[in-house]
Amino acid sequence: MHRTEASRAQVAALEVVTSLGLPADEAVVLNDSNKLTLRLLPCDLLARVAPATDQVAAFEITLAQALAGSGSPVAALDPRVAPRPYERDGFVITLWTYYPPAAPPDVPPAAYAAALTRLHTGMRALDVPAPHFTDRVAQARRLVADHTRTPDLPDADRTLLADTLRTLGRAVSEHGGAEQLLHGEPHPGNVLATDHGVLFIDLETCCRGPVEFDLAHAPEEVGAHCPGADHDLLRRCRTLVLAIVTAWRWDRDDRLPDGRALAAEWLEQIRATS
């Protein structure tokens, strides 16, 4: 978020939590991207704050409750407040349990794979509407095709990304295997090592597709601990996911630190697989 917006977001979160009767006079920024993740003290809860436009907080809360109820490895909502989105000053705020990081904080590949398998098992039992992974591919293709949104993307790289998204998007969607509800982005940034075990966060990215699309977001070593995965499909999904996130880095509004340097690195990886 812009500095001014982030400051307003912190104030909004503190005001909401205080109005709910919990002591909160300090906000520690844990992550700042399209949404702000804050640890609020001294009540010690986690607040996620996003602009009110284009957010799916109610969907995420419903999903988190259903998965937690089935014992799936997901972060829990804070039990001291009503499980719903809160709105303040143009922001939507959701309130979660804060989990201190376990020591060591890294998740071993076998534990990562086991937790993701448990998550997928819980998700298979849910009947909820969710977008298809191909919607994300289509969004990336539109971004690459829009020169006004990606003005700095070189022509040769634009062609490479467009071709990769088109061919691999079709190949993965026509794979013919089973599909189900997925986390959508179970990369290491959305995985917590806690004293309660490995937990997944940020469920708003859920979509439907093959489990290999989820596995493609995890470190490569994780896939080796999933013997049931289609490893040819997983290889295609890895390149497809890489093309999607590379397209995002060329968006003129992208603010990820070192985003363009990452985009250049990922383009070379995509080129090497072509």
Side-chain angles (χ1 to χ4, degrees):
M1 291 186 182
H2 288 296
R3 182 176 301 177
T4 301
E5 188 179 39
S7 178
R8 286 179 43 236
Q10 292 182 48
V11 171
L14 290 169
E15 289 179 348
V16 163
V17 171
T18 301
S19 73
L20 294 171
L22 297 177
D25 55 25
E26 180 183 358
V28 179
V29 177
L30 301 181
N31 187 54
D32 183 1
S33 57
N34 59 324
K35 64 176 66 65
L36 202 62
T37 302
L38 306 168
R39 181 185 182 186
L40 302 188
L41 298 168
C43 61
D44 211 11
L45 61 70
L46 187 129
R48 298 178 66 213
V49 190
T53 56
D54 301 323
Q55 55 78 35
V56 289
F59 169 76
E60 182 179 25
I61 286 174
T62 298
L63 199 57
Q65 288 181 291
L67 288 168
S70 68
S72 297
V74 295
L77 293 152
D78 190 289
R80 294 170 290 180
V81 298
R84 67 175 182 83
Y86 295 86
E87 294 195 30
R88 180 70 61 98
D89 192 24
F91 296 101
V92 170
I93 301 155
T94 53
L95 304 174
W96 304 82
T97 298
Y98 173 75
Y99 296 94
D106 296 331
V107 179
Y112 202 131
L116 188 56
T117 298
R118 287 177 54 214
L119 180 66
H120 286 156
T121 298
M123 286 183 154
R124 279 197 294 274
L126 300 182
D127 183 17
V128 296
H132 197 257
F133 84 92
T134 51
D135 294 345
R136 196 172 303 172
V137 177
Q139 291 169 358
R141 291 183 66 184
R142 288 193 294 271
L143 184 61
V144 169
D146 189 343
H147 289 246
T148 62
R149 290 280 305 280
T150 54
D152 299 327
L153 180 58
D155 289 343
D157 295 336
R158 191 182 301 275
T159 299
L160 174 64
L161 282 177
D163 290 347
T164 302
L165 290 164
R166 183 184 68 256
T167 58
L168 287 184
R170 181 185 301 121
V172 174
S173 65
E174 295 176 354
H175 70 99
E179 296 189 348
Q180 66 159 83
L181 186 66
L182 305 173
H183 180 286
E185 292 183 8
H187 54 69
N190 285 333
V191 179
L192 302 179
T194 77
D195 292 337
H196 299 266
V198 178
L199 300 176
F200 291 89
I201 61 172
D202 203 357
L203 298 171
E204 66 177 21
T205 58
C206 284
C207 61
R208 302 196 72 84
V211 294
E212 288 80 3
F213 185 78
D214 257 5
L215 271 174
H217 290 79
E220 288 193 21
E221 297 84 356
V222 174
H225 294 274
C226 299
D230 180 331
H231 288 275
D232 182 60
L233 179 60
L234 176 55
R235 177 182 55 80
R236 294 182 178 186
C237 285
R238 286 197 187 283
T239 304
L240 178 60
V241 167
L242 195 61
I244 292 171
V245 297
T246 300
W248 294 343
R249 301 290 76 82
W250 287 101
D251 189 337
R252 67 186 180 195
D253 296 326
D254 184 63
R255 296 185 181 86
L256 185 73
D258 300 321
R260 291 299 169 82
L262 289 171
E265 176 185 338
W266 294 339
L267 278 166
E268 289 308 309
Q269 293 181 34
I270 294 169
R271 191 170 284 111
T273 65
S274 300

